[in-house]
Amino acid sequence: LIVIGAVESALEAALHQDAVLEPGTTAWVAVPAVPCVVLPLLARRRFPFAAPLAVWLIAAGLSSIDGKLVTSVGVLFAAGMAAAFLLGNLEDAVEGRIGLVVTLGAAAIITYNDPGHGAGQFLVTPGLFAIAWLAGFALRERSDQAASSEARALEAERELLAERVRIARELHDVVAHHVSMMGVQAGAARIVIDRDPGEAKKALSAIETSSRQAVAELHRLLGLLRQRGDEDDLAPQPGVEQLGQLVASINDTQLAVDVTVEGEPRPLPQMVDVSAYRIVQEALTNTLKHAGASHAAVHLRYWPDELEVEVVDDGRGPHNGSAHGDGGLGLIGMRERAALHGGRLSAGAEPAGGYAVRVRLPTPDGAL
């Protein structure tokens, strides 16, 4: 269409010289000059600012040569409207405003150079092109709003997916820990029930406690799936302050666990606090299930801008098919928790024997 318009404008200037040209303007100047006003629009995609701007600059320059030519060729009016629209539709607001100024200024120059202009045309002609510019601007705003809405929808979808992954991880941690505890205690009770009923009763009591804790944790997690605005009477999520209770429940098994704290304890960001607890819980659960260890040590170190967590046991370390190794979902979950906060997690066998999980969780001011 642009090429057709350029050809049509050249033919109109060549065939209707008396109607479109001022006396004294030769056709050999006007005919090749007129298409030059239209043709820059061909480059509008590659040069979205310069191409429509060139339309107005060339048109204003051509009107200084022949004031009647630009206003008499209909294709040039259409090219000016298209250029004004494109300038209003620019993504860069500064370029768009510059385009408006150039459009109004060039339209005023063309009107001034037209020998038949009237006073009212200084308002009407620039006003028409200003309306075209505003149409482009309105379309750009609408497109931006649509893009913003789409971006918000995608962000909400990503947040929903992240929340599902978090809940799945929490469910894995809760179920794996408590079910493992109950399995170990049930096995211990089966072994000693005949010769030591008192010890068997203690093991069964630990199973009961662990099952109640599992139900409470599951109740809290399932509560996250309720609609927003529902009354929330669930217990708060555990943090490092609850490690004592966790260790006490594990000490009822055949695994002895010690906890040491270095540095000055301080309030932690909620999500960091929960993640630190869950990492210790998962590491001890893996030790209980797979390591065959008799002792584990949990070390918390409070550094100025991070929390270091270390869980070391004296077991046999990872073996094929074990969640204690790199392929287990438990270890993947711990890595995901560390990565969520920009932390670093390492896990592997110790040179002197045993297995260690170490993680550093940043705790900057203002962290969530």
Side-chain angles (χ1 to χ4, degrees), residues 279-338:
I279 288 172
V280 172
Q281 182 186 51
E282 180 61 28
L284 291 176
T285 299
N286 287 343
T287 297
L288 197 62
K289 292 194 309 184
H290 306 291
S294 61
H295 179 267
V298 178
H299 304 288
L300 297 180
R301 299 183 180 93
Y302 288 87
W303 299 102
D305 57 353
E306 66 180 7
L307 173 69
E308 181 182 358
V309 179
E310 183 181 66
V311 181
V312 183
D313 63 51
D314 60 356
R316 58 178 174 268
H319 55 82
N320 294 335
S322 168
H324 215 48
D326 291 341
L329 292 177
L331 185 54
I332 293 174
M334 288 190 285
R335 291 192 189 280
E336 288 177 348
R337 287 186 181 277

Side-chain angles (χ1 to χ4, degrees), residues 83-145:
F85 178 87
L86 292 172
L87 289 170
N89 196 239
L90 290 171
E91 294 184 3
D92 190 312
V94 174
E95 290 182 348
R97 294 189 183 96
I98 294 174
L100 177 61
V101 172
V102 172
T103 297
L104 297 179
I109 292 173
I110 293 170
T111 302
Y112 176 79
N113 289 332
D114 183 5
H117 74 267
Q121 287 181 293
F122 281 103
L123 294 177
V124 175
T125 302
L128 289 174
F129 294 112
I131 291 173
W133 185 93
L134 287 173
F137 178 79
L139 183 61
R140 166 54 57 190
E141 287 292 301
R142 185 173 180 180
S143 299
D144 289 344
Q145 290 176 3

Side-chain angles (χ1 to χ4, degrees), residues 15 27 33 86 98 122 190 195 218-219 226 239 260 262 276 295:
L15 299 177
L86 292 172
I98 294 174
F122 281 103
R190 177 179 56 82
R195 69 172 184 270
L218 290 173
H219 180 228
R226 297 182 303 174
T260 59
E262 300 178 23
H295 179 267

Side-chain angles (χ1 to χ4, degrees), residues 81-210:
M81 293 292 284
F85 178 87
L86 292 172
L87 289 170
N89 196 239
L90 290 171
E91 294 184 3
D92 190 312
V94 174
E95 290 182 348
R97 294 189 183 96
I98 294 174
L100 177 61
V101 172
V102 172
T103 297
L104 297 179
I109 292 173
I110 293 170
T111 302
Y112 176 79
N113 289 332
D114 183 5
H117 74 267
Q121 287 181 293
F122 281 103
L123 294 177
V124 175
T125 302
L128 289 174
F129 294 112
I131 291 173
W133 185 93
L134 287 173
F137 178 79
L139 183 61
R140 166 54 57 190
E141 287 292 301
R142 185 173 180 180
S143 299
D144 289 344
Q145 290 176 3
S148 178
S149 298
E150 184 178 358
R152 287 195 297 269
L154 290 175
E155 181 63 25
E157 186 176 350
R158 283 194 292 268
E159 290 178 357
L160 178 60
L161 179 60
E163 182 68 7
R164 287 175 177 173
V165 171
R166 188 182 71 82
I167 292 174
R169 188 186 304 123
E170 289 276 336
L171 285 170
H172 170 270
D173 290 346
V174 169
V175 173
H177 172 72
H178 289 290
V179 171
S180 297
M181 289 283 298
M182 289 185 284
V184 171
Q185 294 286 5
R190 177 179 56 82
I191 293 173
V192 302
I193 192 169
D194 292 328
R195 69 172 184 270
D196 193 346
E199 191 66 26
K201 184 177 181 180
K202 183 188 295 185
L204 293 174
S205 178
I207 292 173
E208 179 184 9
T209 300
S210 187

